[in-house]
Amino acid sequence: MPRWLPRSFYARAALILIVPIVTIQLAVAVMFLQRHYEDVTVQMTTNMVREIELVRARPDLAEPLGVELVPPPAQSGIRFWDLSGRVMRETLVEEIPDLRAVNTRLERKVVALGFADGTGMRFDRSNVSAANPHQLLVLMVVTALLMTAVSFLFMRGQIRPIRRLARAAEAFGRGQEVDYRPTGASEVRAAGTAFLDMRTRIERHIEQRTLLLSGVSHDLRTPLTRMKLELSMMDCPEAEDLGRDVAAMERIIDTFLDFARESATDERARVPLKALLREAAEMAVPGESVEVAGPEIEADIYPESMRRAITNLVTNATRHGESFRLSLQASDAALVVTVEDDGPGIPAADRAAATRPFSRLDPARSNTAGNVGLGLSIVRDVARAHGGALRLGRSPMGGLKAEIVLPR
């Protein structure tokens, strides 16, 4: 598609509408001007030439023919926009060899002529050109503008359902659900119905997946509890290692159940984001006061999910580094929550794998430090639920920089 074309559908539809109308108007105007200003003017001027010759031969016929015998004009004069005047002058000069001056600027709607013998005459302009030649052009322009305005109003009504569909799809991508009912033309209604069906299927799939995993995780708690009791009564070297594995499984189950419970009960609300970030960070580091750099701003988010995401990031930062920094940035397009630490960081080649569920980057996949491999995965899911994204990079502090980008 050429770059000079407008990007919006409304502008392109307007272009499709305007170009044919303007082309037709120009074609009709050119044909009208050619026929009216040239052919008609030439014919009327030719007829007037006969009357001029007759008056020059018999001056007594001037008054009956509507011609006045006057001194000749000093010079020729035709206004530059007077197209019919130019055609008239060319015809008169061609038909009357001794014509020296043709002036239409001395008096309005009057033509003055001067001849080589020093005589002159004047007559009404209507004798050589049609009266009110601009009326058809004005009517064409007014009609074109009126029909274009009506077409724009109609087109705007047809495009409005498409914009409503786009807003509903954008809101769903951000984790919001807006009231939408298919309207408009049959094609737009079909697209809207398909979108509603797709949204319903996605929501049903997410709900079924969450219920399935929650049910499995909940059912595993009973055998795990039984295993803990049996291991507590065992007196052998292997019991301690098995106990750590069982504890790790419990942490995985508890983490997922907490996340599933928050996802099911959490509702969007407009909350002071900076205060929520400070509260979530202090939950990860009990007893410490956390400062959050950035502006005081309210955001429409899922509070509990966001609180868990920040807690996970701060927990990872304190687990792998000595210090961390929490900041908030705001722009017209997005909000960016950043957690940085001075730990070893994550190599660029491993950052995609770090956000996968149950992914641990240590070679032995040890779980002695309490890492269940769901921290960054939950943060990524929370960011996506808000229609945003999780970005991992290198922090100026030397460790990992994790950014949650939330669209506004």
Side-chain angles (χ1 to χ4, degrees), residues 218-297:
H218 186 271
D219 293 341
L220 285 176
R221 288 187 129 180
T222 300
L224 285 177
T225 303
R226 189 182 301 115
M227 292 173 64
K228 288 179 63 177
L229 291 175
E230 293 176 354
L231 288 173
S232 64
M233 293 183 293
M234 293 177 61
D235 188 12
C236 62
E238 294 81 3
E240 185 176 353
D241 294 335
L242 290 175
R244 286 196 294 267
D245 293 337
V246 171
M249 294 177 66
E250 276 193 320
R251 283 194 296 271
I252 294 174
I253 292 174
D254 292 340
T255 299
F256 182 80
L257 286 178
D258 292 341
F259 176 67
R261 187 182 305 109
E262 292 171 357
S263 300
T265 59
D266 202 5
E267 295 183 357
R268 293 187 76 100
R270 192 165 189 83
V271 298
L273 185 56
K274 192 172 182 180
L276 185 143
L277 298 180
R278 184 183 300 107
E279 178 185 348
E282 292 176 352
M283 290 174 59
V285 285
E288 295 187 19
S289 178
V290 178
E291 293 295 330
V292 181
E296 296 285 350
I297 192 170

Side-chain angles (χ1 to χ4, degrees), residues 6 21 40 62 66 74 76 83 110 128 134 139 150 217 220 235 270 279 286 290-292 308 324 327 344 350 371 375:
I21 293 179
V40 175
S76 295
L83 301 180
V110 173
V128 291
H134 62 281
L139 180 61
V150 173
S217 300
L220 285 176
D235 188 12
R270 192 165 189 83
E279 178 185 348
V290 178
E291 293 295 330
V292 181
R308 170 164 289 275
F324 71 94
S327 61
D350 297 332
N371 179 22

